[in-house]
Amino acid sequence: MTVDGQGQGSAAGLHCLVTGASGYIGGRLVPHLLEAGHRVRCLARSPDKLRDHPWAPDVETVRGDVTDAASVAEAMKGVDVAYYLVHALGSGADFEDIDRRAARTFAEQAHAAGVRRIVYLGGLTPYGVPEDTLSPHLRSRAEVGRIFLDSPVPATVLRAAVVIGSGSASFEMLRYLTERLPVMVTPRWVDTRTQPVAVRDVLRYLVASATMPPDVDRSFDIGGPDVLTYRDMMRRYAEVAGLRRRVIVPVPVLTPRLSSHWIGLVTPVPAVIARPLTESLRHEVVCREHDIARYVPDAPGRPLPFDEALRLALARVREAQVATRWSSASVPGAPSDPLPTDPGWAGGSLYRDERDQVVLASPEALWTVIEGIGGEHGWYSFPLAWAVRGRLDRFVGGVGLRRGRRDPHRLRAGDSLDFWRVEEIEPGRLLRLRAEMRLPGLAWLEMRVDTDEAGRTRYRQRALFHPRGLLGHAYWWSVSPFHALVFGGMARNIALAAAEGAEGPGSRRTRRRREGVRR
């Protein structure tokens, strides 16, 4: 990086700080910044969640939180451009206050460190609608943008409505509603106009924002060329996906709150995420300007039309090439305590269920089954029990089992996996999952490949539960009678699937086992 007398980098080779790199947009932005020739540092509460990304060896990762001034100050050292891609949505009733304090901390530390520019991706707000009548989600996004624009550091605030890309919450909500419901009774917001934008264009604008002239300090509306209602988007999706025309009947009684629960029943997107998406559709959100083109000129065919954005997203999904998903970021309120067996754990009650199974297959064959668990492959025991537990979790506002997997065959640290998250993975040896379902305590599930002294492959499985209060103890003892069926059956069936897989994927027994697991 060349440096002038003011210590500022040239247009190429800037030093960029990215917050939210474990999330949907941040995880995609990092490789684009690297391709543009910039150096990247990622600020993350749990750096281990980033270690398995393909770009991880090419970036610097530091531990910290945007609400902690000391860690933000350390992360800002030597940085030219700071990307703010986080928000506290769903962290509790005070999430707006958390967002406000975090943004102020970020802006203050950026100024103190001599950062040249802050780049923020916010939400597009409706024109002429008083801010105090907006949803808390949109109101907080708008306030964070103002905080950055009011700071001494030049800021680029990008404001987007619906982001369309493989794995985005908006795309998956649209996809599942359209594919699963040929006839839909829908809320009134299906007739609200909005201006969707392809994730590829969002990333293009974010990368280009790093090199905007120093005197640019403003917000930009970003959107695609199409202004559509949600009804239009569902019908266009059906056409692009080759589905029959959908029948859509709007009714006036479904509020955003009720709509979010309805979406939670039909799609993998839980109510806690669906609600801000639906609330943002109460008002028309259409771009009022396209001034971004002065600094990021439109190439032919850009921004991408809605139908083309859908085709690209669907192709990625069908080819299992989804780089990040809406579920990449941690679920708000999910536990982050250390594993109870880690050094320094505070102690307390700890319940265990441990299983050990000899496997008539190679360690490699066993690992293939372990790494492919969940999603469409299921959990290898008592499917009805898993399905009921998933539905109960959705009922109480949890994520349920429908999140599935980002990739059908490969996992990486930080991946969501149904109502679990990959906390630790040692390829060929260990998979540790942390529960993100609603529980009165903390829970983990470990699956390990081992070899005994006789040279035999062994599958070792351990479920751990640290109860919280009397309700936690009662929960464990109420479900423990089913553990032999659920966890015992899981261990036996994983061992059997590995043995049958070693015979070949087309064997008759293998097909029967897979069909049984799905049922």
Side-chain angles (χ1 to χ4, degrees), residues 226-489:
D226 303 294
V227 176
L228 305 163
T229 66
Y230 209 84
R231 181 202 298 263
D232 295 331
M233 289 194 286
M234 287 190 284
R235 286 179 172 165
R236 300 266 285 263
Y237 180 94
E239 292 175 11
V240 171
L243 305 172
R244 292 182 179 178
R245 184 177 177 86
R246 271 32 193 166
V247 177
I248 301 169
V249 182
V251 296
V253 295
L254 286 178
T255 64
R257 184 181 182 87
L258 289 174
S259 298
S260 66
H261 289 293
W262 169 64
I263 290 166
L265 290 173
V266 178
T267 81
V269 181
V272 68
I273 294 175
R275 186 172 181 182
L277 294 177
T278 56
E279 284 181 331
S280 65
L281 292 168
R282 285 189 303 169
H283 303 288
E284 178 175 292
V285 280
V286 176
C287 296
R288 298 191 297 276
E289 42 84 5
H290 187 53
D291 296 349
I292 189 77
R294 299 178 191 171
Y295 307 97
V296 190
D298 293 333
R302 288 298 187 97
L304 286 174
F306 179 73
D307 288 3
E308 182 61 19
L310 286 181
R311 290 189 188 96
L312 290 169
L314 280 169
R316 289 286 189 182
V317 170
R318 289 166 179 167
E319 295 166 6
Q321 296 293 321
V322 180
T324 59
R325 294 181 71 213
W326 59 270
S327 57
S328 298
S330 297
V331 173
S336 57
D337 299 54
L339 185 72
T341 51
D342 287 347
W345 188 65
S349 300
L350 182 65
Y351 293 113
R352 295 179 175 86
D353 182 279
E354 299 184 82
R355 309 282 167 170
D356 189 329
Q357 193 83 26
V358 173
V359 181
L360 301 178
S362 67
E364 293 77 16
L366 175 57
W367 179 252
T368 297
V369 175
I370 291 174
E371 193 175 12
I373 201 165
E376 292 185 1
H377 294 161
W379 291 89
Y380 292 91
S381 70
F382 203 0
L384 179 60
W386 287 95
V388 169
R389 185 63 185 86
R391 290 192 181 99
L392 286 174
D393 193 53
R394 298 284 283 205
F395 180 76
V396 297
V399 295
L401 280 174
R402 290 184 183 160
R403 286 193 303 183
R405 301 170 50 110
R406 177 189 56 83
D407 184 292
H409 307 294
R410 297 288 179 264
L411 292 173
R412 64 191 185 202
D415 270 0
S416 61
L417 179 59
D418 293 330
F419 48 40
W420 305 90
R421 187 165 301 270
V422 179
E423 180 175 84
E424 181 61 66
I425 182 168
E426 299 176 18
R429 182 172 173 268
L430 169 70
L431 175 63
R432 180 187 300 144
L433 307 175
R434 180 191 292 272
E436 291 190 332
M437 67 197 77
R438 297 296 178 94
L439 287 170
L442 307 174
W444 294 261
L445 177 63
E446 282 188 350
M447 290 163 274
R448 189 182 297 269
V449 177
D450 209 343
T451 305
D452 62 19
E453 57 278 2
R456 299 176 301 180
T457 301
R458 300 195 79 94
Y459 171 65
R460 303 188 192 278
Q461 177 181 295
R462 183 170 69 147
L464 300 168
F465 182 69
H466 171 49
R468 185 183 298 118
L470 182 61
L471 184 60
H473 291 277
Y475 172 81
W476 175 267
W477 289 112
S478 68
V479 299
S480 59
F482 302 99
H483 285 173
L485 187 62
V486 175
F487 291 133

Side-chain angles (χ1 to χ4, degrees), residues 166-189:
S166 60
S168 77
S170 295
F171 172 75
E172 296 223 337
M173 191 171 91
L174 175 66
R175 173 188 170 203
Y176 280 90
L177 285 176
T178 309
E179 290 186 352
R180 292 183 173 178
L181 299 175
V183 178
M184 286 175 270
V185 176
T186 59
R188 286 179 296 181
W189 50 253

Side-chain angles (χ1 to χ4, degrees), residues 83 117 119-121 155-160 195 197 200-213 216-225 287-299 302-303:
Y83 285 87
R117 178 167 299 279
V119 181
Y120 170 60
L121 177 62
T156 302
V157 174
L158 303 178
R159 310 191 322 152
Q195 194 163 348
V197 59
R200 295 188 182 208
D201 287 311
V202 173
L203 294 169
R204 182 167 61 95
Y205 294 137
L206 284 169
V207 172
S209 293
T211 54
M212 282 188 174
V216 176
D217 185 18
R218 56 162 293 182
S219 64
F220 295 93
D221 293 354
I222 57 172
C287 296
R288 298 191 297 276
E289 42 84 5
H290 187 53
D291 296 349
I292 189 77
R294 299 178 191 171
Y295 307 97
V296 190
D298 293 333
R302 288 298 187 97

Side-chain angles (χ1 to χ4, degrees), residues 109-145:
Q109 297 307 320
H111 178 54
V115 171
R116 297 174 56 184
R117 178 167 299 279
I118 294 173
V119 181
Y120 170 60
L121 177 62
L124 189 60
T125 53
Y127 179 70
V129 176
E131 194 168 291
D132 59 1
T133 66
L134 297 178
S135 69
H137 163 66
L138 277 182
R139 190 168 60 233
S140 182
R141 290 294 184 93
E143 183 180 17
V144 169

Side-chain angles (χ1 to χ4, degrees), residues 25-98:
I25 294 292
R28 297 189 179 209
L29 174 63
V30 170
H32 284 271
L33 290 172
L34 293 171
E35 288 175 14
H38 303 308
R39 291 187 294 136
V40 177
R41 176 184 294 157
C42 297
L43 175 68
R45 285 178 296 178
S46 303
D48 283 348
K49 289 184 179 180
L50 305 179
R51 70 169 194 229
D52 293 333
H53 284 264
W55 42 260
D58 302 318
V59 306
E60 177 191 2
T61 303
V62 296
R63 186 183 301 275
D65 190 283
V66 290
T67 60
D68 176 44
S71 64
V72 174
E74 186 66 25
M76 291 281 190
K77 289 181 178 178
V79 165
D80 299 303
V81 181
Y83 285 87
Y84 191 86
L85 302 173
V86 296
H87 59 84
L89 178 67
S91 58
D94 61 343
F95 83 90
E96 289 182 85
D97 182 57
I98 295 173

